[in-house]
Amino acid sequence: MTGGVVVEDGFVHEEETHLTVFKTSLFFPGDGFTVYNCKGELVFRVESYGPDSRDKGEVELMDAFGRCLLTARRKDWRYLPLVIVLWLQIKCFVTTPGKLDNNALGPILQRPSLHQRWEGFLGEKTEGQKPIFSVRRSSIIGRSSVTVEMCGNPGEEYQIEGSFAQRCCTIFNAGKEAVAEIRRKVDASTNVVLGKDVFTLSLKPGFDGAFAMGLVLVLDQINGDDYANGDGGLELNPTSEDSHLSP
């Protein structure tokens, strides 16, 4: 068993599980999801309600019946420690002594994707509710990394490596064991790789599928922010394209 229950035990399976994820929306193309199991049964869905939904910095994962399982919410980057703000000022400093170059600092302040943090909450988030996990993404000299920290267990964390933009990334636990993978979907009848709007989420036995799908939502939101900023999509620390899970 790997990982255990994070969101709900009904989404933890004793055998390896493969889910098919469709990126779609009833209202605005591209920001919603429907997720099916190998029997073609709806497992999860995510809905967006217009082109401004991404700007709200919050997305909800629902089960097949519309019950909210998990809320992922962007943590306001303005509350970064003062030392980070000072570091940005030093890095962007100066055209003249003692004067901050606002033209240099502006692009960084407008791009919170350089250092993003998202938090996950059980069900619909309520005022004062504590998160069950946080996702931290950092970019340093063109390289990105994503770390998932479990709030109730400081010693438990996950690393996400690969390229979500290319639908090819792996979630590793603290022991560097692969617990979930995202891969492009291949049509079994024609052996043709389908478009990026259809992909496979594979889960190791014992890894919470709702938790894994919550991480997919966060990666998708970060990836969308990157495109909006002209960065071309989320590229994480490189990993082999070969599957770390059994075929």
Side-chain angles (χ1 to χ4, degrees), residues 7-229:
V7 178
E8 192 169 297
D9 56 5
F11 301 107
V12 179
H13 304 283
E14 295 182 357
E15 66 281 348
E16 189 169 306
T17 303
H18 303 278
L19 303 175
T20 299
V21 183
F22 293 84
K23 186 170 171 60
T24 183
S25 176
L26 294 175
F27 299 96
F28 185 71
D31 273 349
F33 290 93
T34 52
V35 184
Y36 298 87
N37 61 21
C38 60
K39 298 178 181 178
E41 300 168 334
L42 181 64
V43 181
F44 304 116
R45 59 190 177 97
V46 178
E47 296 176 355
S48 64
Y49 298 95
D52 297 329
S53 59
R54 181 181 292 275
D55 296 335
K56 297 178 181 178
E58 185 172 297
V59 60
E60 294 182 351
L61 176 68
M62 297 180 290
D63 65 12
F65 305 100
R67 178 172 59 97
C68 181
L69 300 169
L70 177 72
T71 300
R73 186 174 188 180
R74 181 191 291 115
K75 190 174 179 64
D76 195 330
W77 76 282
R78 292 173 297 179
Y79 296 103
L80 289 173
L82 179 60
V83 65
I84 296 179
V85 176
L86 294 175
W87 180 84
L88 288 173
Q89 292 176 340
I90 292 171
K91 293 292 288 185
C92 296
F93 201 77
V94 277
T95 53
T96 58
K99 181 179 180 181
L100 181 66
D101 183 357
N102 290 325
N103 291 329
L105 181 60
I108 291 183
L109 294 180
Q110 292 171 8
R111 293 175 59 189
S113 61
L114 290 176
H115 189 113
Q116 290 183 335
R117 183 183 291 271
W118 284 71
E119 294 177 329
F121 301 84
L122 281 178
E124 296 185 32
K125 184 185 180 303
T126 58
E127 187 69 27
Q129 182 179 359
K130 294 183 179 180
I132 57 173
F133 67 86
S134 68
V135 181
R136 184 180 73 252
R137 182 269 181 102
S138 300
S139 294
I140 302 175
I141 317 178
R143 291 172 61 87
S144 297
S145 63
V146 170
T147 301
V148 183
E149 300 172 340
M150 307 307 296
C151 299
N153 186 357
E156 184 180 0
E157 68 175 31
Y158 299 89
Q159 294 288 331
I160 306 177
E161 300 180 0
S163 171
F164 181 76
Q166 298 300 321
R167 306 298 188 253
C168 181
C169 56
T170 304
I171 302 172
F172 295 94
N173 62 17
K176 295 299 293 182
E177 300 173 318
V179 294
E181 286 186 341
I182 297 166
R183 290 291 183 269
R184 296 280 293 275
K185 180 77 173 179
V186 178
D187 187 299
S189 61
T190 62
N191 203 33
V192 172
V193 179
L194 302 179
K196 295 177 185 178
D197 287 346
V198 184
F199 55 94
T200 299
L201 175 62
S202 299
L203 309 168
K204 273 284 194 178
F207 193 67
D208 190 327
F211 174 46
M213 191 60 206
L215 297 180
V216 170
L217 299 187
V218 172
L219 293 175
D220 179 68
Q221 291 289 311
I222 295 174
N223 191 64
D225 288 344
D226 285 347
Y227 274 109
N229 290 321

